[in-house]
Amino acid sequence: MEELAAKAGITVRTLRFYRERGLIPPPRREGRIAWYDERHLARLHTIAALLERGHTLSGIADLTAAFESGRDAGEALGLVEPTEETPVRLTPEALADHFAGQVTPENLAAALDLGYLAVDGEEIVHISRRLLDVSAALVREGIPLAAVLAAGREVRAHADALARLFVDLLHAHATDQDLARLRPLAKHVVEAELSLAMDRRLAGSAD
């Protein structure tokens, strides 16, 4: 414990306090010896970075609980590995930087529930580089992250319905070997229809 506290630049008393609050995982024990490792040091560095950004210990504890209750990366990505999207690995600090301090326990829990985020040790895995970049861009434009995530949940439901429609269509009129080749056509139809629908909506709002 003394060695870990020294490496983290905190006192042993502070480290004990963090342990009591559940901010760091328990050490591995061998008899009366408690072993800490790089995961514990990384967690302490994360806590220090979040404190510097103005988060309270109570808020950090909520974030930690949300992470530890979320799906791990193997569960989130192992069963349905993205075939076209590129997952992104982030530190908690990098995630906070992407969303300008809006990574609250509520938003984090929503992102975990949607499957946008997964936890892999001390790292966070976002399932899609494109979704991460677009979400961050919307937040930079002034749209609250909570609203972005709520919209994402609705988009997910509509996307699932569209995917079901096209998969059923292809299964009815093409062979399984044709599915990968014809998949881009479904995407082009959706992109074109969305573009036309945006035109109609924007024209209507201008009237």
Side-chain angles (χ1 to χ4, degrees):
M1 182 177 285
E2 288 81 2
E3 293 175 4
L4 177 64
K7 285 188 176 183
I10 60 176
T11 65
V12 172
R13 181 178 180 181
T14 298
L15 180 55
R16 286 200 179 97
F17 177 72
Y18 288 170
R19 276 188 52 188
E20 292 168 0
R21 293 290 301 271
L23 294 172
I24 63 172
R28 177 174 59 86
R29 290 195 173 274
E30 291 183 4
R32 300 183 63 182
I33 302 176
W35 293 99
Y36 294 90
D37 57 26
E38 292 301 319
R39 293 184 307 114
H40 296 92
L41 184 59
R43 177 64 66 84
L44 291 172
H45 287 160
T46 296
I47 292 170
L50 292 173
L51 287 172
E52 287 180 2
R53 286 176 168 81
H55 291 270
T56 65
L57 284 177
S58 178
I60 294 171
D62 289 341
L63 289 172
T64 300
F67 275 128
E68 292 178 350
S69 66
R71 298 178 302 169
D72 63 24
E75 180 184 349
L77 303 178
L79 298 179
V80 187
E81 187 81 20
T83 57
E84 296 183 355
E85 298 305 306
T86 303
V88 184
R89 289 183 172 271
L90 301 159
T91 63
E93 298 91 333
L95 183 68
D97 287 342
H98 268 81
F99 295 104
Q102 294 192 45
V103 183
T104 63
E106 295 77 14
N107 287 339
L108 182 58
L112 288 165
D113 185 55
L114 269 169
Y116 284 176
L117 298 181
V119 182
D120 188 10
E122 292 296 325
E123 287 187 314
I124 304 161
V125 180
H126 196 293
I127 199 168
S128 167
R129 163 65 72 182
R130 288 196 294 180
L131 284 175
L132 173 65
D133 290 345
V134 169
S135 299
L138 289 170
V139 170
R140 287 195 298 271
E141 291 295 329
I143 301 175
L145 180 56
V148 172
L149 291 169
R153 187 174 296 279
E154 291 194 45
V155 169
R156 171 72 57 82
H158 292 298
D160 282 342
L162 288 169
R164 187 182 308 111
L165 186 157
F166 280 107
V167 169
D168 289 347
L169 177 68
L170 295 178
H171 275 149
H173 301 284
T175 66
D176 289 344
Q177 290 73 25
D178 293 327
L179 294 181
R181 180 173 59 82
L182 297 176
R183 174 175 172 161
L185 300 180
K187 292 168 57 180
H188 292 326
V189 171
V190 172
E191 289 173 359
E193 286 288 358
L194 178 60
S195 178
L196 291 169
M198 291 288 290
D199 289 342
R200 291 192 295 270
R201 286 284 180 178
L202 293 172
S205 64
D207 293 340

